[in-house]
Amino acid sequence: MERFIKTIKNKYLITGIAFVVWMLFFDRYDVATQVSFQQEKGKLEAEKAYYTAETEKIGVSIKDVQFNQSEIQRIAREKYKMKKSSEDIYIITEVEAPKTSE
């Protein structure tokens, strides 16, 4: 028992424990902050991968449009709802059923 009390009164042990507690809970970059930083990093990396893929897809579309007349017509019809003078366009949209509270 006396040895345990001596160990607890050791100033280096107390300082070490205080340092570890400070770094884990009270420091500017404590454990909770580091976890949130890692989560944010994962989200940003996924977003970066998405935008990189979208940029590549848009680059391919731009090259297609520059050299392919039918691609220009397809984009004009789909995105901008353009039509030839002899055509009729029907736009079909899905409508969600109203939610009923039970």
Side-chain angles (χ1 to χ4, degrees):
M1 185 70 176
E2 191 173 310
R3 185 175 180 200
F4 179 71
I5 293 173
K6 276 186 175 182
T7 306
I8 291 177
K9 288 184 178 180
N10 185 345
K11 62 183 176 182
Y12 298 111
L13 179 64
I14 293 171
T15 305
I17 291 173
F19 176 75
V20 169
V21 168
W22 180 267
M23 294 305 286
L24 288 176
F25 300 108
F26 302 112
D27 191 44
R28 180 176 177 189
Y29 298 107
D30 61 348
V31 175
T33 305
Q34 291 298 320
V35 170
S36 66
F37 284 163
Q38 292 300 321
Q39 290 174 347
E40 183 72 21
K41 179 183 173 190
K43 289 177 187 176
L44 291 173
E45 287 176 347
E47 194 172 316
K48 177 184 175 187
Y50 168 77
Y51 285 121
T52 302
E54 286 296 314
T55 303
E56 291 173 4
K57 191 183 339 179
I58 290 171
V60 169
S61 296
I62 289 172
K63 286 181 182 177
D64 285 346
V65 167
Q66 288 175 343
F67 302 112
N68 190 353
Q69 185 67 24
S70 64
E71 186 69 17
I72 294 172
Q73 286 183 3
R74 184 188 67 80
I75 291 173
R77 290 170 184 266
E78 289 178 3
K79 282 193 171 183
Y80 302 109
K81 298 179 180 41
M82 293 182 171
K83 65 175 189 141
K84 293 181 180 178
S85 60
S86 62
E87 293 180 328
D88 290 331
I89 295 180
Y90 298 98
I91 300 172
I92 301 171
T93 58
E94 293 184 21
V95 178
E96 291 184 24
K99 295 180 182 179
T100 59
S101 60
E102 294 179 22

